[in-house]
Amino acid sequence: MRQRCTYIVIIGPDGCGKTTVAQQLCQELSALVPVRSYCFSFENLPAPSTLLGRRTTVLRAGLTDSRMSMPFPTWKATLAAIWWGLDHVLGHAKLWPRDRRECVIFARSYHDFLYARTHINAPRPVVRFFLKLGPKADLIVVPHRSPASIRADKPELTPMEIGAQYARILAELGAADNLLNADADAAGVRGVVSEIRTRMPI
C-alpha cells in the first residue's frame, strides 16, 4: 500500500503545454480517484506581495521577446527561493490525506527555481537544499516542444531562452529516475497524458 498520495509535477518553459497537460490529466483521473491541482506552490504560505500589501505584477502575454520579465536581483531571488522553499517543505503534510488514492498534480512547481528566467539568480545550493528536504515527486514531467512551436503560440520567450530553459532542466534533473521527457510535438496533449498514466504509481 502507498504511504501517501501520488505527487506529479509538470515543468518546462512557458508555452510547452504544462497547464493543458495538467488539466487533461486531472480530467481523466478525476473519474477514477480524488484529484487536487496546484500551480507553483502548496499554498501553505501567502505570497510575499500579499504580506507587503503590494499588487502582483501582471506580465503582458503575447508581447514578442518580452523574456517573461527580467531576472530578480540575487538578493530578491534568494529570499524568494527560501520563502517558497519553506512552503515546499511544508507540502509534506498536504501529501498525507485520508484517501491515499488521491493524486496531487502541479502545473509549475518549486522546481521552477532550477530553470525559469525570473529565478535564475537564486543560489543553486539553496534551491537544491529545499528540493531535497521537501517531498520528492513521484513523477516530474517535461513536455518537450520545439522552440519554433512554442514561439508560434507564445512569443514572449526567444528561441534561445526556450532552449536554455530545457538545457537547465536536463542539467539539473536529467539523471533523475522519476523524470519523464515527453515529446509533446509528436504525441500531442493526449499522448503525453497517456505516457504519464503508464508511469504513474497508482
Side-chain angles (χ1 to χ4, degrees), residues 4-174:
R4 66 168 197 182
C5 59
T6 302
Y7 169 36
I8 297 172
V9 300
I10 304 171
I11 62 175
D14 285 281
C16 73
K18 298 184 295 294
T19 301
T20 306
V21 169
Q23 289 174 343
Q24 181 67 33
L25 183 61
C26 287
Q27 182 178 334
E28 291 190 16
L29 292 180
S30 60
L32 305 172
V33 297
V35 177
R36 277 182 289 141
S37 62
Y38 294 93
C39 182
F40 183 67
S41 78
F42 277 101
E43 301 174 359
N44 292 300
L45 301 177
S49 58
T50 301
L51 292 177
L52 297 173
R54 297 177 179 174
R55 291 183 178 181
T56 302
T57 301
V58 178
L59 297 174
R60 293 177 59 190
L63 184 63
T64 302
D65 295 341
S66 70
R67 298 176 183 269
M68 297 301 290
S69 83
M70 296 302 293
F72 287 156
T74 300
W75 68 268
K76 188 173 183 179
T78 302
L79 290 177
I82 294 172
W83 182 261
W84 293 117
L86 292 172
D87 177 273
H88 180 66
V89 172
L90 292 171
H92 279 293
K94 295 281 184 79
L95 299 178
W96 292 86
R98 292 181 180 179
D99 191 335
R100 292 177 182 172
R101 297 176 305 152
E102 190 169 15
C103 187
V104 172
I105 300 170
F106 272 73
R108 297 182 60 225
S109 72
Y110 185 71
H111 296 77
D112 280 25
F113 280 91
L114 292 174
Y115 68 90
R117 180 176 173 78
T118 305
H119 307 303
I120 198 64
N121 290 329
R124 301 296 94 182
V126 172
V127 177
R128 294 185 190 115
F129 170 77
F130 282 109
L131 282 173
K132 186 173 183 178
L133 199 61
K136 181 180 179 181
D138 293 292
L139 195 61
I140 301 173
V141 183
V142 184
H144 275 266
R145 298 182 65 201
S146 71
S149 297
I150 293 177
R151 174 82 167 182
D153 293 336
K154 290 181 71 69
E156 293 92 342
L157 296 177
T158 65
M160 183 177 294
E161 176 60 24
I162 294 167
Q165 289 193 21
Y166 276 130
R168 292 174 202 138
I169 291 171
L170 292 177
E172 292 284 351
L173 303 171

